[in-house]
Amino acid sequence: MTGSEQTSVLVTGGNKGLGLEAARRLGEMGWAVFLGSRDEERGRVAVETLADDGVNVVLVPLDVTSDESVADAVRLVRKHTDRLDVLINNAGAPGKAVPPADAVVADVHPVFDTNVYGPIRVTQAFLPLLQAAENPRVVMVSSAGGSFAVVTDPAQPISKMHELAYSSSKAALNMITVRYAQALPQIKFNVATPGEVANHKFAATDMNHHTGELTVTEGTDAIIRLATLAADGPTATFVDRLGSVAW
């Protein structure tokens, strides 16, 4: 599938929303796209749509909460390429926005399983393929809700959204990204949030019932920028489409 000059990318949660749009944009750049999808039927439809538009794309059935599924995904990708240039950990779960006073572990655990343990599972499994690339990059799709600076700013709407699972999972993902970046300097690990923090805007997706003011294309601007970093690009950064975001 991938030639020596073709950049390869795996996008988790790639069958809709930000993941699908990131896959489309990178595919249009001539990249080889591995589209990860927990729902195989939705994934198949997404792949067919991208392929009809000329994208070199392969469906990768992938449930980031399953060790077995992730292992199968690695085996499938290895059939097509001996390296992975870019990994976009996009798959995410919003949780049920249970207030902290009411939240129990059963409310929090499934969100962490997808948003925290999922990226760890996938990153760990694909490390050998990433390390085989000349300029490997990992993009973690997080949220302004994972920023202590944003959540503690009374001017930010999310400071008044009293939930426990989602924001804490994204804060954990941010720290995990920094620790990976410090330990593996040969790979660029960066965090993107699909919004405009300074303008209190976010992208319209299924997760927020399409209430955001930004399009999915605008929401993927930061993801694409980090995915296409040059060899001298930064690592351990947190950005939105306008620039740096405070941790």
Side-chain angles (χ1 to χ4, degrees):
M1 172 184 169
T2 60
S4 59
E5 302 301 319
Q6 191 170 35
T7 303
S8 58
V9 59
L10 169 65
V11 184
T12 70
N15 63 278
K16 62 179 181 177
L18 297 168
L20 179 58
E21 180 65 3
R24 182 193 68 78
R25 293 179 68 178
L26 294 172
E28 288 185 349
M29 294 179 190
W31 288 29
V33 175
F34 294 99
L35 189 142
S37 178
R38 182 178 62 177
D39 186 315
E40 286 194 46
E41 183 54 37
R42 284 188 174 184
R44 195 170 295 111
V45 171
V47 164
E48 289 173 357
T49 299
L50 292 176
D52 287 344
D53 291 335
V55 174
N56 182 6
V57 57
V58 169
L59 173 62
V60 180
L62 178 54
D63 178 355
V64 302
T65 69
S66 165
D67 291 338
E68 182 179 0
S69 178
V70 172
D72 288 342
V74 173
R75 284 191 286 270
L76 192 157
V77 172
R78 281 192 176 277
K79 291 180 179 179
H80 296 275
T81 182
D82 59 0
R83 72 173 199 279
L84 184 65
D85 296 293
V86 178
L87 168 61
I88 300 177
N89 280 309
N90 167 74
K96 297 180 180 178
V98 179
D102 301 323
V104 296
V105 169
D107 298 312
V108 176
H109 185 270
V111 180
F112 269 66
D113 204 9
T114 299
N115 296 355
V116 181
Y117 311 142
I120 293 174
R121 284 188 187 93
V122 176
T123 301
Q124 175 66 27
F126 280 91
L127 266 183
L129 283 172
L130 287 163
Q131 290 168 327
E134 282 189 22
N135 176 28
R137 288 140 282 169
V138 176
V139 181
M140 304 290 199
V141 180
S142 186
S143 166
S147 162
F148 283 87
V150 172
V151 171
T152 57
D153 179 357
Q156 291 284 351
I158 200 165
S159 70
K160 301 173 182 65
M161 295 171 59
H162 302 305
E163 58 76 43
L164 193 65
Y166 183 75
S167 55
S168 63
S169 73
K170 291 302 187 179
L173 179 63
N174 291 357
M175 177 60 76
I176 286 165
T177 307
V178 172
R179 300 303 276 170
Y180 273 130
Q182 292 171 333
L184 296 163
Q186 72 275 26
I187 302 175
K188 295 178 185 65
F189 287 88
N190 291 288
V191 180
T193 178
E196 295 178 357
V197 174
N199 296 327
H200 307 171
K201 293 181 179 180
F202 51 94
T205 66
D206 284 356
M207 192 174 290
N208 55 54
H209 307 291
H210 297 274
T211 57
E213 298 177 70
L214 303 178
T215 66
V216 287
T217 301
E218 291 170 327
T220 55
D221 282 348
I223 298 170
I224 300 301
R225 185 162 77 249
L226 294 177
T228 57
L229 286 175
D232 61 351
T235 192
T237 65
F238 186 13
V239 301
D240 66 8
R241 69 189 301 265
L242 302 179
S244 296
V245 176
W247 296 103

